[in-house]
Amino acid sequence: MLDHQLSLVLPAHNEAENIEAVVERAREILPKVTRAFEIIVVNDGSRDETGAIIDRLAQTYPNVRAVHHEVNRGYGAALTSGFQAASGQSVMFMDSDRQFDIADISALLPYVPYYEIVAGYRIQRRDPFYRKLYGKMFGLSVWLVFGLRMRDIDCAFKIFRTDLLKGIALTSPGALINTELLLRARQRGASIVQVGVHHYPRPAGESSGGSPRVVFRAVGETVRLWWRLRSEPTDGPDAPATASPRGPLGKIAAVLAALLAVVVIRTVFRQRR
């Protein structure tokens, strides 16, 4: 059992069909695995009843807190707001779409005393083909552009030591938040371990994570993050190789082409369904 308070951050955008079940499951499991906990649900400009549901849950349960964005600011912005609101010594985040089971936290907790970041990876990803393809190509692009290699960089099941997290100034408002967070943690010499977790089909609602709008936004964020990190001073030998002399702009061009290809494949896939 974790001997300190855990803050669970749940970003939610149009998750009215899922969010209550996710919070109730967390309230069932967390008392069994940690001494104290809080659940922070960030409503990222939802157009459905997500905001009203989390307000009701926050009024019902003292350890549930609601954070609201008036407009949709993006996945990264939702996580950042949740991190800023967290008061526990460890911070975990998980998606609110019921594709993860909070009970899998038991696989991560034994590593928390020894590592600053415990990163889950999906043992078997239960998503449509185009999302799996996008994930693989995105992971490859992060390795080529930033020199960061993870088994599942965007897996939304991670635990961080709060003092590390609070010391990182995050700037990515969208899907690149995991990449930026791990890169900046590596700059600080943070210790990371990767642990397998289960993944499940989405039972309700619709994901926007693989939409062309999100993909194009991720492409733009990749370029901007590369430029920011290239312009910043580096701190020691573990800093990311963001300014490779072997044609970094060529790498970015290849990444852009790959991501655009995924958008085309996704469009064709949906048209044939």
Side-chain angles (χ1 to χ4, degrees), residues 110-244:
Y111 299 94
V112 169
Y114 308 105
Y115 293 89
E116 291 165 286
I117 301 174
V118 186
Y121 65 86
R122 288 163 283 198
I123 297 170
Q124 181 179 1
R125 185 168 180 174
R126 305 295 297 275
D127 276 325
F129 169 76
Y130 72 87
R131 292 206 66 189
K132 294 179 184 178
L133 178 61
Y134 170 70
K136 291 290 187 184
M137 299 193 77
F138 181 75
L140 177 62
S141 73
V142 168
W143 175 49
L144 290 174
V145 176
F146 300 108
L148 177 65
R149 192 162 195 173
M150 299 285 292
R151 295 188 64 159
D152 189 0
I153 194 165
D154 281 336
C155 179
F157 206 88
K158 295 183 176 76
I159 301 177
F160 298 84
R161 194 172 296 173
T162 302
D163 55 358
L164 169 70
L165 198 57
K166 297 280 190 179
I168 296 176
L170 297 170
T171 60
S172 298
L176 212 70
I177 186 70
N178 276 287
T179 299
E180 181 181 14
L181 183 50
L182 292 170
L183 281 169
R184 294 192 182 278
R186 189 178 68 172
Q187 282 181 316
R188 288 156 175 78
S191 54
I192 304 175
V193 65
Q194 302 180 68
V195 181
V197 297
H198 297 97
H199 193 237
Y200 303 91
R202 174 185 268 269
E206 183 175 346
S207 172
S208 62
S211 69
R213 178 177 61 86
V214 172
V215 171
F216 281 117
R217 183 185 297 173
V219 170
E221 284 187 27
T222 300
V223 174
R224 287 190 293 272
L225 179 61
W226 174 83
W227 182 258
R228 282 196 301 272
L229 292 175
R230 182 176 182 271
S231 304
E232 292 174 0
T234 57
D235 297 322
D238 291 326
T242 57
S244 168

Side-chain angles (χ1 to χ4, degrees), residues 19 23 41 43 49-61 64-68 70:
I19 190 59
V23 171
V41 189
N43 168 35
E49 296 302 311
T50 298
I53 293 170
I54 67 173
D55 279 341
R56 172 171 53 79
L57 292 170
Q59 291 171 2
T60 304
Y61 305 121
V64 176
R65 299 166 58 192
V67 176
H68 294 279
E70 293 301 319

Side-chain angles (χ1 to χ4, degrees), residues 41-93:
V41 189
V42 183
N43 168 35
D44 188 29
S46 298
R47 297 184 303 273
D48 60 7
E49 296 302 311
T50 298
I53 293 170
I54 67 173
D55 279 341
R56 172 171 53 79
L57 292 170
Q59 291 171 2
T60 304
Y61 305 121
N63 53 8
V64 176
R65 299 166 58 192
V67 176
H68 294 279
H69 292 173
E70 293 301 319
V71 297
N72 179 232
R73 291 167 50 189
Y75 185 72
L79 283 180
T80 300
S81 292
F83 297 158
Q84 291 170 346
S87 60
Q89 290 95 321
S90 293
V91 178
M92 177 180 180
F93 76 86

